[in-house]
Amino acid sequence: FTSFLHLPGTTEEVAPPLQQCFIIPKKEINMVSDMAKWKRSQAYADYMGFILTLNEGVKGKKLTCEYKVSEPIEKLVALLNTLDRWIDETPPVDQPSRFGNKAFRTWYAKLDQEAEKLVATVIPKHLAAAAPEVAVYLKESVGNSTRIDYGTGHEAAFAAFLCCLCKIGVLRVDDQMAIVFKVFNRYLEVMRKLQKTYRMEPAGSQGVWGLDDFQFLPFIWGSSQLIDHPNLEPRHFVDEKVVNENHKDFMFLECILFITEMKTGPFAEHSNQLWNISAVPSWSKVNQGLIRMYKAECLEKFPVIQHFKFGSLLPIQPVTS
């Protein structure tokens, strides 16, 4: 499944031939019966392939380890820094309801307006035609401005955004670790700030049965990072001391830290699923279980996937190969 990370013609010197006719992605999953179309689609195969490729790429690696940082990676981080700065420039407003601060809509309107320009800063000139298509996934990745909520469907849109950048050859195979550790990690920081600042509602929350209210992928990739760790076992992540000492190295523990900052009461009560996972004997078992759970709880749930958009890079057409 790394095939789409090795696109023909994406060597440095040669501009890839644009056989591609870019289109604005749109919704295709309108009723529950359409879900079968999604599971057979090229988009699903490429999306899942991308998630699993990155899962392998970060296996046993710390966030703080050495890895290559290419120019597109730097530009993506700069893009996320801009979104972060806009949060500072758009403080929450006084309003009667505690959740869903309406200032989020102001912040979002700015992204809506600027998204194509932002994406164009990451994409080389000869691929400029791709910017409108790719920008749609960026806009979808930060939450819903009507409901002022955020959930795993939005997170999936960000992964789709990165997947599209791989498909057009902006990101390459040797960017794998930086995609997760630098770009996705920065994305998480900005999303956590959005969630805190504007008190966003969890979208389609599973309540106590979800992993956490907002994210899923950092638990998958974060558990892969911990595979074969000499002394950190799954049972350790419910230990506050272990989390405090190791969270800067492992995405999984960063997630746990954020949950304990945001929630009160016993861990087993507010995060029952994670509590159960802490009883699994090995990180590779945790990792496999989370991948299965992600497919079942996120990618195969109509309320999540109905919002997913399909274009030329992530097509609804059935898998060809």
Side-chain angles (χ1 to χ4, degrees), residues 77-293:
V77 173
L79 180 158
L80 291 164
N81 291 343
T82 300
L83 302 189
D84 191 342
R85 193 183 74 242
W86 291 348
I87 302 174
D88 297 333
E89 292 167 5
T90 318
V93 293
D94 278 335
Q95 61 176 43
S97 64
R98 212 168 120 230
F99 285 94
N101 195 285
K102 290 181 180 59
F104 175 72
R105 292 181 182 148
T106 311
W107 180 90
Y108 184 85
K110 192 160 179 122
L111 173 62
D112 194 37
Q113 208 183 335
E114 302 287 328
E116 272 183 45
K117 269 192 222 132
L118 287 172
V119 170
T121 63
V122 181
I123 294 179
K125 290 275 187 289
H126 66 270
L127 288 169
E133 176 165 345
V134 178
V136 168
Y137 295 102
L138 178 65
K139 287 192 282 195
E140 295 280 317
S141 74
V142 296
N144 181 286
S145 65
T146 310
R147 296 187 302 271
I148 314 183
D149 65 5
Y150 175 93
T152 49
H154 302 111
E155 176 190 64
F158 192 75
F161 166 67
L162 296 172
C163 182
C164 287
L165 292 174
C166 285
K167 293 196 79 169
I168 60 174
V170 171
L171 296 172
R172 301 163 197 281
V173 185
D174 54 3
D175 288 319
Q176 281 183 61
M177 284 167 68
I179 289 172
V180 179
F181 293 169
K182 237 183 152 46
V183 180
F184 195 82
N185 210 34
R186 185 72 186 107
Y187 165 75
L188 284 178
E189 291 168 0
V190 178
M191 291 309 105
R192 286 171 183 149
K193 187 166 168 177
L194 277 180
Q195 289 150 20
K196 273 186 187 163
T197 306
Y198 304 122
R199 303 299 298 268
M200 296 175 79
E201 300 271 10
S205 174
Q206 311 277 326
V208 78
W209 303 111
L211 270 190
D212 88 349
D213 287 333
F214 299 109
Q215 313 296 155
F216 204 113
L217 292 173
F219 291 98
I220 295 179
W221 296 330
S223 59
S224 181
Q225 283 184 277
L226 285 154
I227 288 173
D228 295 331
H229 192 283
N231 41 18
L232 287 181
E233 292 169 35
R235 64 190 172 93
H236 290 123
F237 77 73
V238 291
D239 179 338
E240 211 176 318
K241 185 168 179 285
V242 172
V243 172
N244 288 332
E245 286 170 8
N246 298 282
H247 70 92
K248 287 191 167 66
D249 285 326
F250 300 105
M251 213 169 227
F252 196 100
L253 303 181
E254 283 281 11
C255 291
I256 301 297
L257 187 70
F258 184 66
I259 291 171
T260 52
E261 277 173 14
M262 299 299 279
K263 300 197 169 187
T264 51
F267 193 91
E269 283 173 31
H270 63 61
S271 302
N272 192 265
Q273 279 284 33
L274 283 167
W275 179 258
N276 294 338
I277 287 168
S278 71
V280 175
S282 73
W283 284 111
S284 62
K285 283 265 188 299
V286 169
N287 186 246
Q288 289 157 8
L290 287 174
I291 291 166
R292 278 199 306 275
M293 186 179 166

Side-chain angles (χ1 to χ4, degrees), residues 3-36:
S3 58
F4 62 88
L5 284 167
H6 298 279
L7 282 179
T10 48
T11 48
E12 299 292 345
E13 332 69 86
V14 194
L18 276 186
Q19 307 106 334
Q20 193 103 36
C21 187
F22 296 104
I23 53 178
I24 298 295
K26 60 182 206 302
K27 293 184 186 187
E28 300 278 3
I29 309 298
N30 300 309
M31 40 198 185
V32 176
S33 57
D34 292 335
M35 289 296 284

